[in-house]
Every structure is written in structure tokens, then in C-alpha cells.
Amino acid sequence: MTTDITVAVVAKECLPGRVKTRLTPALTPEGAARVAAASLADTLATVRALPAARRLLFFDGTALPEGAEGFDVLHQTAGGLDERLGALFDAVDGPTLLVGMDTPQFSAADVGPVFDDPSRDAWFGPAEDGGFWSLYLREPDGAHLRGVPMSQEDTGAIQFARLTGAGLGVGTLGVLLDVDTVSDAERVAALAPDSEFAEALRTETVGSLR
């Protein structure tokens, strides 16, 4: 049954030297970009299967990725990540679930609590590195994100405190691993061995050894 939820995927165009730069030099910049593209493809496929009313690609780039069919596209604004995410939550109407492109292992079950209880003010998905991989707001408001320092070990804790400090009732989703390093990529591939991401990583790893 479809629920009145917009699911937004935050993504950037997978160009060599712009994405997954910490996978180099183990992979070439081109190989890292292909692995990133596979990660995004897995994410979009999972989102397509969710019982959402609307699917949105919050995109930084020009050439849309494969698998974006059926997604509305909103191009990212300038500024830091907190400002861009704030702009996203100001631009949408109604309950909105945000997911990133760096957790290709994420499944419908991981966000099942959101769809089971969309009346909760917020749902927060913490990442192993101290950030967050998902955020749901029943009443979107970019002020909940602006000013939160991103890409730090305490980003998630600060964001969670921002939500609760605003008086929101916040539910917590499971902790997932973001893909940043080669070690992260190998762990995620083991968690989702049949994913496009895992296949791309195997291909690029084998190629780098030749």
C-alpha cells in the first residue's frame, strides 16, 4: 500500500575524481566512479521498490544516472551540505525520507519503521562513522539541518540533538556503514554480495591487480 511519503535520494554525478576519491589509489579514479555509480544504482532500485507516493533525486550534476526513471529531479543548490540539505527540506511538501547514495546495502526493511509509523515527527538513521545515512521529517523544515557541521565524527550526534532539542519525537533506525574507504567497500560488498555495487567492486579490484 502506497503511503504519503516522498523519498529523496541525495546524489552527485559519478565522474572520475569527483566521487569516492578515498577508494584511490587502490582503484583508478575511473574505477572508483564506476563503483560509485553502482552504489547509486542499487540505492535507486531499492527506493523504487518502496511504497512511496513520490520519489525524488536531489542531484548534483548534469547527466542523470541510469535508473532515475520515475524520479522527480531537484538540482542541488550551492553551499555546504547542511545548506543544501536544508534547501531540500524547504523545497518538499509533506512527510519526506532522505537517503544517501553511499549505503548500497540498505533495504526496504531498514526503513520499514518509517512506513509503519509515518506519524512520528522524525526518524534518524545513524551511520557507523558518526554521521547519518537517513533522515525522515513528517513536517520538513530546513532549519533542522542548517548549521549542523557535516562530515565529522559527531555529525550524527549533533543532528540528533538538533531534532530532539526542537521538541521532535525521534525514532532511531538501524546503524549502517557508509562506503568511504576500500575497507568499507569490502565490508558492504560482503553484506550485499549480489548487488551491482559488489559486482562492480569485484570487477574493479580484479582489474587493478592486472
Side-chain angles (χ1 to χ4, degrees):
M1 182 175 65
T2 300
T3 56
D4 187 25
I5 293 176
T6 293
V7 181
V9 178
V10 181
K12 65 171 62 174
E13 189 172 354
C14 297
L15 298 173
R18 286 201 66 217
V19 291
K20 293 292 147 234
T21 55
R22 292 172 65 185
L23 297 184
T24 60
L27 304 183
T28 66
E30 293 77 15
R34 286 189 287 268
V35 169
S39 179
L40 177 54
D42 287 325
T43 302
L44 294 176
T46 298
V47 170
R48 279 198 304 273
L50 295 175
R54 181 191 184 201
R55 295 163 184 83
L56 175 68
L57 181 64
F58 188 49
F59 193 60
D60 177 10
T62 53
L64 294 179
E66 292 185 13
E69 301 80 12
F71 284 71
D72 294 330
V73 178
L74 177 64
H75 289 278
Q76 295 185 26
T77 57
L81 182 56
D82 65 308
E83 295 172 319
R84 286 178 279 143
L85 295 181
L88 166 64
F89 277 105
D90 281 342
V92 293
D93 293 317
T96 299
L97 172 65
L98 166 76
V99 295
M101 62 175 280
D102 296 334
T103 51
Q105 77 278 28
F106 117 85
S107 68
D110 291 314
V111 293
V114 177
F115 290 89
D116 291 339
D117 186 12
S119 63
R120 188 179 290 266
D121 292 333
W123 286 94
F124 181 79
E128 275 195 28
D129 64 3
F132 60 96
W133 64 271
S134 181
L135 177 63
Y136 168 81
L137 293 176
R138 181 171 56 85
E139 297 182 358
D141 185 346
H144 293 314
L145 292 102
R146 289 191 186 88
V148 173
M150 298 289 167
S151 302
Q152 298 183 177
E153 292 183 355
D154 58 353
T155 291
I158 295 172
Q159 180 63 77
F160 189 84
R162 174 72 72 85
L163 299 173
T164 57
L168 302 184
V170 186
T172 304
L173 303 175
V175 178
L176 292 187
L177 173 65
D178 281 337
V179 173
D180 289 319
T181 67
V182 171
S183 175
D184 296 338
E186 291 171 343
R187 287 178 58 199
V188 167
L191 292 170
D194 297 326
S195 62
E196 288 193 35
F197 174 82
E199 178 59 28
L201 184 65
R202 285 192 292 267
T203 298
E204 298 303 330
T205 301
V206 170
S208 69
L209 297 175
R210 290 173 182 166

